[in-house]
């Protein structure tokens, strides 16, 4: 048994440190993604009409974009609240907080682009 342990000690050390590294990287990824700050750029028919720093929102509030479209913002997220488009798909999308999930309403030419702020990169590097 002693001999077995001795010859496999290196294996245990390697496996152990790999496990620790994996855990550490998981923790780092977790903390970075929870600190993510998001900005929303709202385009109407290709024109940038409004930029909102979603990180600075503290409570839910309504934004009236025009006669047809009402948006709702809260910390880190945005959604379409009211919109008279025929499909209503943009409303059913609900809150989006990820650059991977833009909100699009083809009927009104509405495009809400979510952007992770550049300061995120500083967090990762620092
Ligand atoms: Zn729509």
């Amino acid at each position: 048994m002693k001999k077995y342990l001795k010859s496999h000690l290196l294996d245990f050390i390697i496996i152990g440190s790999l496990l620790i590294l994996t855990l550490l990287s998981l923790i780092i990824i977790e903390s970075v993604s929870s600190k993510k700050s998001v900005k929303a750029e709202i385009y109407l028919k290709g024109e940038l009409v409004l930029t909102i720093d979603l990180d600075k929102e503290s409570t839910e509030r309504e934004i009236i974009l025009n006669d047809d479209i009402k948006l709702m913002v809260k910390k880190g997220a945005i959604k379409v609240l009211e919109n008279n488009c025929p499909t209503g798909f943009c409303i059913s999308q609900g809150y989006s907080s990820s650059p991977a999930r833009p909100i699009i309403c083809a009927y009104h030419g509405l495009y809400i682009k979510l952007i992770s702020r550049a300061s995120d990169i500083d967090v990762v590097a620092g």
Side-chain angles (χ1 to χ4, degrees):
M1 191 60 187
K2 244 185 175 172
K3 205 176 173 191
Y4 174 84
L5 272 180
K6 215 174 186 182
S7 62
H8 286 79
L9 190 60
L10 194 64
D11 291 353
F12 288 132
I13 290 170
I14 291 169
I15 292 165
S17 44
L18 278 178
L19 278 175
I20 290 165
L21 275 177
T22 310
L23 269 176
L24 274 179
S25 54
L26 279 178
I27 290 166
I28 291 166
I29 290 165
E30 194 67 33
S31 65
V32 168
S33 58
S34 64
K35 270 180 206 156
K36 187 176 66 181
S37 52
V38 181
K39 212 171 75 171
E41 283 184 352
I42 296 151
Y43 293 85
L44 264 179
K45 296 183 170 71
E47 256 182 75
L48 181 65
V49 290
L50 192 63
T51 305
I52 306 166
D53 195 338
L54 294 174
D55 233 35
K56 289 190 177 133
E57 302 295 331
S58 48
T59 52
E60 271 197 322
R61 75 178 168 101
E62 225 175 87
I63 292 172
I64 298 166
L65 201 60
N66 60 25
D67 292 342
D68 299 319
I69 306 165
K70 265 188 210 169
L71 306 173
M72 187 80 124
V73 295
K74 65 177 184 183
K75 192 170 171 61
I78 186 163
K79 72 171 178 180
V80 176
L81 184 68
E82 272 178 48
N83 184 334
N84 61 356
C85 79
T87 61
F89 178 71
C90 47
I91 300 166
S92 64
Q93 249 189 290
Y95 271 115
S96 176
S97 58
S98 159
R101 273 192 66 205
I103 297 171
I104 297 159
C105 180
Y107 182 76
H108 286 292
L110 172 72
Y111 174 49
I112 303 173
K113 184 180 175 187
L114 288 127
I115 300 160
S116 286
R117 274 211 308 249
S119 62
D120 281 2
I121 293 156
D122 295 337
V123 174
V124 176

